Each structure stands twice: as C-alpha cells, then as structure tokens.
Coordinates of all heavy atoms in Angstrom, one line a residue:
M1 N 148.4 175.0 117.3 CA 149.7 175.2 118.1 C 149.2 175.5 119.6 O 148.4 176.2 119.9 CB 150.4 176.4 117.7 CG 151.7 176.8 118.4 SD 152.9 175.6 118.2 CE 154.1 176.2 119.4
L2 N 149.8 174.7 120.5 CA 149.5 174.8 121.9 C 150.0 176.1 122.5 O 151.0 176.5 122.1 CB 150.0 173.6 122.7 CG 149.4 172.2 122.5 CD1 150.1 171.3 123.4 CD2 148.0 172.2 122.8
K3 N 149.2 176.6 123.5 CA 149.8 177.8 124.3 C 150.3 177.1 125.6 O 150.0 176.0 126.0 CB 148.7 178.8 124.6 CG 148.1 179.3 123.4 CD 147.0 180.3 123.7 CE 146.8 181.2 122.5 NZ 145.4 181.4 122.2
C4 N 151.1 177.9 126.3 CA 151.8 177.5 127.5 C 150.7 177.0 128.5 O 150.9 176.0 129.3 CB 152.6 178.7 128.1 SG 154.0 179.1 127.1
K5 N 149.5 177.7 128.5 CA 148.5 177.3 129.5 C 148.0 175.9 129.1 O 147.7 175.1 130.0 CB 147.3 178.3 129.3 CG 146.2 178.2 130.2 CD 145.1 179.2 130.0 CE 143.9 179.0 130.8 NZ 143.1 177.9 130.4
D6 N 147.9 175.6 127.8 CA 147.5 174.2 127.4 C 148.5 173.1 127.9 O 148.2 172.1 128.3 CB 147.3 174.1 126.0 CG 146.4 175.2 125.4 OD1 145.4 175.3 126.0 OD2 146.7 175.7 124.3
V7 N 149.8 173.6 127.8 CA 150.8 172.7 128.2 C 150.7 172.4 129.7 O 150.9 171.3 130.2 CB 152.3 173.1 127.8 CG1 153.4 172.3 128.4 CG2 152.4 173.2 126.2
T8 N 150.6 173.4 130.5 CA 150.5 173.2 132.0 C 149.4 172.4 132.3 O 149.5 171.5 133.4 CB 150.5 174.5 132.8 OG1 149.4 175.3 132.3 CG2 151.7 175.3 132.5
E9 N 148.2 172.5 131.6 CA 147.2 171.6 131.9 C 147.4 170.2 131.5 O 146.8 169.3 132.2 CB 145.9 172.1 131.1 CG 145.3 173.4 131.6 CD 144.2 174.0 130.8 OE1 143.9 173.4 129.8 OE2 143.7 175.2 131.3
K10 N 148.2 169.9 130.5 CA 148.4 168.5 130.1 C 149.7 167.9 130.7 O 150.0 166.7 130.5 CB 148.5 168.5 128.6 CG 147.1 168.7 128.0 CD 147.2 168.2 126.5 CE 145.9 168.2 125.8 NZ 144.9 169.0 125.8
A11 N 150.5 168.8 131.3 CA 151.8 168.3 131.8 C 151.7 167.2 132.8 O 152.5 166.3 132.8 CB 152.6 169.5 132.4
D12 N 150.7 167.2 133.7 CA 150.6 166.1 134.7 C 150.3 164.8 133.9 O 150.9 163.8 134.4 CB 149.5 166.4 135.7 CG 148.2 166.7 135.1 OD1 148.2 167.1 133.9 OD2 147.2 166.7 135.9
A13 N 149.6 164.8 132.9 CA 149.4 163.5 132.1 C 150.7 163.0 131.6 O 151.0 161.9 131.5 CB 148.4 163.7 131.1
L14 N 151.6 164.0 131.0 CA 152.7 163.7 130.5 C 153.7 163.1 131.5 O 154.4 162.1 131.3 CB 153.3 165.0 129.9 CG 154.6 164.8 129.0 CD1 154.1 164.1 127.7 CD2 155.2 166.2 128.7
V15 N 153.7 163.6 132.7 CA 154.5 163.3 133.8 C 154.1 161.9 134.4 O 155.0 161.0 134.7 CB 154.7 164.4 134.8 CG1 155.3 163.9 136.1 CG2 155.5 165.5 134.2
D16 N 152.8 161.8 134.7 CA 152.4 160.5 135.4 C 152.1 159.5 134.5 O 151.7 158.3 135.0 CB 151.3 160.9 136.4 CG 150.0 161.2 135.7 OD1 149.8 160.9 134.6 OD2 149.0 161.7 136.5
G17 N 152.3 159.6 133.2 CA 152.1 158.4 132.3 C 150.7 158.2 131.8 O 150.5 157.2 131.2
T18 N 149.8 159.1 132.0 CA 148.4 159.0 131.6 C 148.5 159.0 130.0 O 149.2 159.9 129.5 CB 147.6 160.2 132.0 OG1 147.7 160.2 133.5 CG2 146.2 160.1 131.5
P19 N 147.8 158.1 129.4 CA 147.9 157.9 127.9 C 147.3 159.2 127.3 O 146.2 159.7 127.7 CB 147.0 156.7 127.7 CG 146.7 156.1 128.9 CD 147.0 157.0 130.0
L20 N 148.1 159.7 126.4 CA 147.6 160.8 125.6 C 147.5 160.4 124.2 O 148.2 159.5 123.8 CB 148.6 162.0 125.7 CG 148.8 162.7 127.0 CD1 150.0 163.6 126.9 CD2 147.5 163.5 127.3
S21 N 146.7 161.1 123.3 CA 146.6 160.7 121.9 C 147.9 161.1 121.2 O 148.7 162.0 121.8 CB 145.4 161.4 121.3 OG 145.7 162.8 121.2
W22 N 148.1 160.5 120.1 CA 149.4 160.7 119.3 C 149.4 162.3 119.0 O 150.4 162.9 119.3 CB 149.3 160.0 118.1 CG 150.5 160.2 117.2 CD1 151.7 159.6 117.3 CD2 150.6 161.1 116.1 NE1 152.6 160.2 116.4 CE2 151.9 161.1 115.6 CE3 149.7 162.1 115.7 CZ2 152.4 161.9 114.7 CZ3 150.2 162.9 114.5 CH2 151.5 162.8 114.0
R23 N 148.3 162.8 118.7 CA 148.2 164.3 118.4 C 148.6 165.1 119.5 O 149.3 166.0 119.4 CB 146.8 164.5 117.8 CG 146.6 166.0 117.4 CD 145.2 166.1 117.0 NE 144.8 165.3 115.8 CZ 144.4 165.8 114.6 NH1 144.3 167.0 114.4 NH2 144.2 165.0 113.6
E24 N 148.0 164.9 120.7 CA 148.3 165.6 122.0 C 149.8 165.5 122.3 O 150.4 166.5 122.7 CB 147.4 165.1 123.1 CG 146.0 165.4 123.1 CD 145.2 164.7 124.2 OE1 145.3 163.6 124.4 OE2 144.3 165.4 124.8
R25 N 150.2 164.2 122.3 CA 151.6 164.1 122.7 C 152.6 164.8 121.7 O 153.6 165.4 122.2 CB 151.9 162.6 122.6 CG 153.3 162.1 123.2 CD 153.3 160.6 123.4 NE 152.5 160.1 124.5 CZ 152.8 160.1 125.7 NH1 153.9 160.6 126.2 NH2 151.9 159.6 126.5
T26 N 152.3 164.7 120.4 CA 153.2 165.4 119.4 C 153.0 167.0 119.6 O 154.1 167.7 119.6 CB 152.7 165.1 118.1 OG1 152.8 163.6 118.0 CG2 153.6 165.7 117.0
A27 N 151.8 167.5 119.9 CA 151.7 169.0 120.1 C 152.5 169.4 121.3 O 153.1 170.4 121.3 CB 150.2 169.2 120.3
L28 N 152.4 168.5 122.4 CA 153.2 168.9 123.6 C 154.7 168.9 123.3 O 155.4 169.8 123.7 CB 152.9 167.8 124.6 CG 151.6 168.0 125.6 CD1 151.4 166.8 126.4 CD2 151.9 169.3 126.4
R29 N 155.1 167.8 122.6 CA 156.6 167.8 122.3 C 157.0 169.0 121.5 O 158.1 169.5 121.7 CB 156.9 166.5 121.6 CG 156.9 165.4 122.6 CD 157.3 164.0 122.0 NE 157.1 163.1 123.2 CZ 157.8 161.9 123.2 NH1 158.6 161.6 122.3 NH2 157.6 161.1 124.2
V30 N 156.2 169.3 120.5 CA 156.7 170.5 119.6 C 156.8 171.8 120.5 O 157.7 172.5 120.3 CB 155.6 170.6 118.5 CG1 155.8 172.0 117.7 CG2 155.8 169.4 117.4
H31 N 155.7 171.9 121.3 CA 155.8 173.2 122.2 C 157.0 173.1 123.1 O 157.7 174.1 123.2 CB 154.5 173.2 123.0 CG 154.5 174.5 123.8 ND1 153.8 175.6 123.4 CD2 155.0 174.8 125.0 CE1 153.9 176.5 124.3 NE2 154.7 176.0 125.3
L32 N 157.2 172.0 123.7 CA 158.4 171.8 124.6 C 159.7 172.1 123.8 O 160.7 172.6 124.5 CB 158.4 170.5 125.3 CG 157.2 170.3 126.4 CD1 157.2 168.8 126.8 CD2 157.4 171.2 127.5
L33 N 159.8 171.7 122.6 CA 161.0 172.0 121.8 C 161.3 173.5 121.7 O 162.4 173.9 121.8 CB 160.9 171.4 120.4 CG 161.3 170.0 120.2 CD1 161.0 169.5 118.8 CD2 162.8 169.7 120.5
M34 N 160.3 174.2 121.7 CA 160.3 175.7 121.3 C 160.3 176.5 122.6 O 160.8 177.7 122.6 CB 159.3 176.1 120.4 CG 159.5 175.4 119.0 SD 158.3 176.1 117.9 CE 156.8 175.6 118.5
C35 N 159.7 176.0 123.7 CA 159.5 176.9 124.8 C 160.3 176.4 126.1 O 159.9 175.3 126.7 CB 157.9 176.9 125.1 SG 157.5 177.8 126.6
H36 N 161.3 177.1 126.5 CA 162.0 176.6 127.6 C 161.3 176.8 128.9 O 161.6 176.1 129.9 CB 163.4 177.2 127.6 CG 163.7 178.5 128.2 ND1 164.2 178.6 129.4 CD2 163.3 179.7 127.8 CE1 164.3 179.8 129.9 NE2 163.7 180.6 128.9
H37 N 160.4 177.7 128.9 CA 159.6 177.9 130.3 C 158.8 176.6 130.5 O 158.8 176.2 131.7 CB 158.6 179.1 130.1 CG 159.3 180.4 129.9 ND1 160.0 181.0 130.8 CD2 159.4 181.2 128.8 CE1 160.6 182.1 130.3 NE2 160.2 182.3 129.0
C38 N 158.2 176.1 129.5 CA 157.5 174.9 129.7 C 158.3 173.7 130.0 O 158.0 172.8 130.7 CB 156.5 174.6 128.6 SG 155.0 175.8 128.6
R39 N 159.5 173.6 129.3 CA 160.4 172.5 129.7 C 160.8 172.5 131.1 O 160.8 171.5 131.8 CB 161.7 172.7 128.7 CG 161.5 172.1 127.2 CD 162.9 171.7 126.8 NE 163.8 172.8 126.8 CZ 163.9 173.7 125.7 NH1 163.1 173.7 124.7 NH2 164.8 174.7 125.8
R40 N 161.1 173.7 131.6 CA 161.5 173.8 132.9 C 160.3 173.4 133.9 O 160.5 172.8 134.9 CB 161.9 175.3 133.3 CG 162.5 175.4 134.6 CD 163.2 176.8 134.8 NE 162.1 177.8 134.7 CZ 162.5 179.0 134.6 NH1 163.6 179.5 134.6 NH2 161.5 180.0 134.5
Y41 N 159.1 173.9 133.5 CA 157.9 173.5 134.3 C 157.7 172.0 134.3 O 157.6 171.5 135.5 CB 156.7 174.2 133.7 CG 155.4 173.8 134.3 CD1 155.1 174.4 135.6 CD2 154.5 172.8 133.8 CE1 153.9 174.1 136.2 CE2 153.4 172.4 134.5 CZ 153.0 173.1 135.6 OH 151.9 172.6 136.2
V42 N 157.9 171.3 133.2 CA 157.6 169.9 133.1 C 158.7 169.2 133.9 O 158.5 168.2 134.7 CB 157.7 169.4 131.6 CG1 157.7 167.9 131.6 CG2 156.3 169.9 131.0
R43 N 159.9 169.7 133.7 CA 161.1 169.1 134.6 C 160.9 169.2 136.1 O 161.1 168.3 136.8 CB 162.4 169.8 134.2 CG 163.6 169.1 134.5 CD 164.9 169.7 133.9 NE 164.9 169.5 132.5 CZ 165.3 170.5 131.6 NH1 165.7 171.7 132.1 NH2 165.3 170.2 130.4
Q44 N 160.4 170.4 136.5 CA 160.1 170.6 138.0 C 158.9 169.7 138.4 O 159.1 169.1 139.5 CB 159.8 172.0 138.3 CG 161.0 172.9 138.2 CD 160.7 174.3 138.3 OE1 159.6 174.8 138.2 NE2 161.7 175.2 138.6
L45 N 158.0 169.6 137.6 CA 156.8 168.7 137.9 C 157.2 167.3 138.0 O 156.8 166.6 139.0 CB 155.7 168.9 136.9 CG 154.4 168.3 137.1 CD1 153.7 168.9 138.4 CD2 153.4 168.4 136.0
R46 N 158.1 166.8 137.1 CA 158.6 165.4 137.0 C 159.3 165.2 138.4 O 159.2 164.1 139.0 CB 159.4 165.3 135.9 CG 159.8 163.8 135.7 CD 160.5 163.6 134.4 NE 159.6 163.5 133.3 CZ 159.9 163.7 132.0 NH1 161.1 163.8 131.6 NH2 158.9 163.6 131.2
A47 N 160.2 166.2 138.8 CA 161.0 166.0 140.0 C 160.1 165.9 141.2 O 160.3 165.1 142.1 CB 162.0 167.1 140.1
L48 N 159.1 166.7 141.3 CA 158.2 166.8 142.3 C 157.4 165.5 142.5 O 157.3 164.9 143.5 CB 157.2 167.9 142.3 CG 156.1 168.0 143.2 CD1 156.7 168.5 144.6 CD2 155.1 169.1 142.8
V49 N 157.0 165.0 141.3 CA 156.2 163.7 141.3 C 157.1 162.5 141.8 O 156.7 161.7 142.5 CB 155.5 163.5 139.9 CG1 155.0 162.0 139.8 CG2 154.5 164.4 139.7
S50 N 158.3 162.5 141.3 CA 159.2 161.4 141.6 C 159.6 161.5 143.1 O 159.7 160.4 143.8 CB 160.4 161.2 140.7 OG 161.2 162.4 140.9
S51 N 159.8 162.7 143.7 CA 160.1 162.8 145.1 C 158.9 162.4 145.9 O 159.1 161.8 147.0 CB 160.5 164.2 145.4 OG 159.5 165.1 145.4
L52 N 157.6 162.6 145.5 CA 156.5 162.2 146.2 C 156.4 160.7 146.2 O 155.9 160.1 147.1 CB 155.2 162.9 145.6 CG 155.0 164.3 145.9 CD1 153.8 164.8 145.2 CD2 154.9 164.6 147.4
R53 N 156.7 160.1 145.0 CA 156.6 158.6 144.9 C 157.5 158.0 145.9 O 157.3 156.9 146.5 CB 157.0 158.2 143.5 CG 155.9 158.3 142.6 CD 155.9 157.5 141.4 NE 154.9 157.9 140.4 CZ 155.0 158.4 139.3 NH1 156.3 158.4 138.7 NH2 154.0 158.7 138.4
I54 N 158.7 158.5 146.1 CA 159.7 158.0 147.1 C 159.2 158.1 148.5 O 159.3 157.2 149.3 CB 161.1 158.8 146.9 CG1 161.7 158.4 145.6 CG2 162.0 158.4 148.0 CD1 162.9 159.3 145.3
A55 N 158.6 159.2 148.8 CA 158.0 159.5 150.1 C 156.8 158.6 150.4 O 156.5 158.4 151.6 CB 157.7 160.9 150.3
E56 N 156.1 158.1 149.4 CA 154.9 157.4 149.7 C 155.2 156.0 150.2 O 156.1 155.4 149.8 CB 154.2 157.2 148.3 CG 152.8 156.9 148.3 CD 152.2 156.9 146.9 OE1 152.2 155.9 146.3 OE2 151.8 158.0 146.5
P57 N 154.5 155.6 151.4 CA 154.9 154.3 151.9 C 154.5 153.2 150.9 O 153.5 153.4 150.2 CB 154.0 154.2 153.1 CG 153.0 155.2 153.0 CD 153.5 156.3 152.0
S58 N 155.2 152.1 150.8 CA 154.9 151.0 150.0 C 153.6 150.4 150.4 O 153.5 150.2 151.6 CB 156.1 150.1 149.8 OG 156.3 149.5 151.1
P59 N 152.7 150.0 149.5 CA 151.6 149.3 149.9 C 151.9 148.0 150.5 O 152.8 147.3 150.2 CB 150.8 149.1 148.6 CG 151.8 149.3 147.5 CD 152.9 150.1 148.0
V60 N 151.1 147.5 151.4 CA 151.2 146.3 152.2 C 150.5 145.1 151.3 O 149.4 145.3 150.9 CB 150.6 146.3 153.6 CG1 150.7 145.0 154.3 CG2 151.2 147.5 154.4
S61 N 151.2 144.1 151.2 CA 150.7 143.0 150.3 C 149.5 142.3 151.2 O 149.5 142.2 152.3 CB 151.8 142.0 149.9 OG 152.1 141.2 151.1
D62 N 148.7 141.6 150.4 CA 147.6 140.8 151.0 C 148.1 139.8 151.8 O 147.6 139.4 152.9 CB 146.6 140.3 149.9 CG 145.8 141.3 149.2 OD1 145.7 142.4 149.7 OD2 145.3 141.1 148.1
D63 N 149.3 139.1 151.4 CA 149.9 138.1 152.1 C 150.3 138.5 153.5 O 150.0 137.8 154.5 CB 151.1 137.5 151.4 CG 150.7 136.7 150.2 OD1 149.4 136.3 150.1 OD2 151.5 136.4 149.4
H64 N 150.9 139.7 153.5 CA 151.3 140.2 154.8 C 150.2 140.5 155.8 O 150.2 140.2 156.9 CB 152.1 141.5 154.6 CG 152.7 142.1 155.9 ND1 153.8 141.6 156.5 CD2 152.3 143.2 156.6 CE1 154.0 142.3 157.6 NE2 153.2 143.3 157.6
V65 N 149.1 141.1 155.2 CA 147.9 141.3 156.0 C 147.3 140.0 156.6 O 147.1 139.9 157.8 CB 146.8 142.0 155.2 CG1 145.5 142.1 155.9 CG2 147.3 143.4 154.9
D66 N 147.3 138.9 155.7 CA 146.8 137.6 156.2 C 147.7 137.0 157.4 O 147.2 136.5 158.2 CB 146.8 136.5 155.1 CG 145.6 136.8 154.0 OD1 144.7 137.4 154.5 OD2 145.7 136.2 153.0
K67 N 149.0 137.2 157.2 CA 149.9 136.7 158.2 C 149.8 137.5 159.5 O 149.6 136.8 160.6 CB 151.4 136.9 157.7 CG 152.4 136.4 158.6 CD 153.8 136.6 158.1 CE 154.9 136.1 159.0 NZ 154.7 136.4 160.4
V68 N 149.6 138.8 159.5 CA 149.4 139.5 160.7 C 148.0 139.1 161.3 O 148.0 138.9 162.6 CB 149.4 141.0 160.3 CG1 148.9 141.8 161.6 CG2 150.8 141.5 160.0
L69 N 147.0 138.9 160.6 CA 145.7 138.6 161.1 C 145.7 137.2 161.7 O 145.2 136.9 162.8 CB 144.6 138.6 160.0 CG 144.2 140.1 159.6 CD1 143.2 140.0 158.4 CD2 143.6 140.9 160.8
N70 N 146.4 136.2 161.0 CA 146.5 134.9 161.6 C 147.4 134.9 163.0 O 147.0 134.2 163.8 CB 147.3 134.0 160.5 CG 146.4 133.6 159.4 OD1 145.1 133.7 159.5 ND2 146.9 133.3 158.3
D71 N 148.4 135.6 162.9 CA 149.2 135.8 164.1 C 148.3 136.3 165.3 O 148.5 135.8 166.4 CB 150.4 136.7 163.9 CG 151.5 136.1 163.1 OD1 151.4 134.8 162.9 OD2 152.4 136.7 162.7
L72 N 147.6 137.2 165.0 CA 146.7 137.9 166.0 C 145.6 136.8 166.5 O 145.4 136.7 167.7 CB 145.9 139.1 165.5 CG 146.8 140.3 165.3 CD1 146.0 141.4 164.7 CD2 147.4 140.8 166.7
D73 N 145.1 136.0 165.5 CA 144.1 134.9 166.0 C 144.8 133.9 166.9 O 144.0 133.4 167.7 CB 143.6 134.3 164.7 CG 142.6 135.1 164.0 OD1 142.1 136.1 164.5 OD2 142.4 134.8 162.8
R74 N 146.0 133.7 166.7 CA 146.7 132.6 167.5 C 146.9 133.0 169.0 O 147.1 132.4 169.9 CB 148.0 132.2 166.9 CG 147.8 130.9 166.0 CD 149.1 130.5 165.5 NE 149.0 130.6 164.1 CZ 150.0 131.1 163.3 NH1 151.1 131.6 163.8 NH2 149.8 131.1 161.9
K75 N 147.0 134.3 169.1 CA 147.4 134.9 170.5 C 146.3 134.8 171.5 O 145.1 134.9 171.1 CB 147.8 136.4 170.3 CG 149.1 136.6 169.6 CD 149.9 137.7 170.1 CE 151.4 137.5 169.6 NZ 151.7 138.3 168.4
P76 N 146.5 134.4 172.7 CA 145.4 134.2 173.7 C 144.7 135.6 174.0 O 145.3 136.5 173.9 CB 146.0 133.6 174.8 CG 147.6 133.8 174.7 CD 147.8 134.2 173.3
Ligands
ZN101 ZN1 155.3 177.2 126.8

C-alpha cells in the first residue's frame, strides 16, 4: 500500500504521461480512490502543468528557421 509521500513522488509521472508500470499505476489509483488529499494534490498539479503548457511558447519549425535564414541571405 502506497503512502501519501509515495504518491506525491510519483504524481508528476502520472500527470505528465511518463510511463509507469501496471503495478505502479494500479497502486496509485487505489491510493487516489481512498485519499482525497492526494486526489486534490494530483488535480492541482495537473492544473499547474496544463497552465504551464499554455504559457510555453510554441517551438519554431525547421522550415520557418530556413525561411528566415534564406530571407536574411537575400538582403543586401
Ligand atoms: Zn494520500
């Protein structure tokens, strides 16, 4: 049986989609079913991670970088 401390250590993997073993995932779910403190923690962590993803600038594609470099080469 997991303790709350174990859940907080594994919660980031659960939230960011890091693969967990079937056993780890099941143990986490069983704990979350019974412990509303950890459910709240995971929910807050998930909200934080998703808000950070929105704030993160989108990566620039290689095509865009090539276009900008080509445009710069053409300028006198
Ligand atoms: Zn707990």
Side-chain angles (χ1 to χ4, degrees):
M1 179 70 190
L2 290 179
K3 294 185 169 129
C4 293
K5 184 177 175 292
D6 303 321
V7 173
T8 55
E9 285 170 2
K10 291 196 168 48
D12 54 340
L14 193 68
V15 167
D16 70 15
T18 303
L20 294 169
S21 69
W22 179 86
R23 185 182 294 242
E24 286 173 316
R25 191 171 290 277
T26 303
L28 275 170
R29 286 185 181 203
V30 168
H31 184 96
L32 289 172
L33 271 175
M34 294 185 297
C35 179
H36 90 100
H37 298 291
C38 286
R39 279 205 302 275
R40 191 170 60 191
Y41 175 78
V42 168
R43 197 171 291 139
Q44 286 174 345
L45 189 63
R46 185 172 286 165
L48 178 68
V49 167
S50 66
S51 70
L52 289 175
R53 282 201 187 119
I54 290 166
E56 202 173 90
S58 61
V60 178
S61 70
D62 289 344
D63 286 348
H64 183 73
V65 173
D66 283 344
K67 184 182 178 314
V68 169
L69 289 174
N70 287 336
D71 286 349
L72 287 173
D73 283 344
R74 265 186 243 131
K75 296 219 161 96

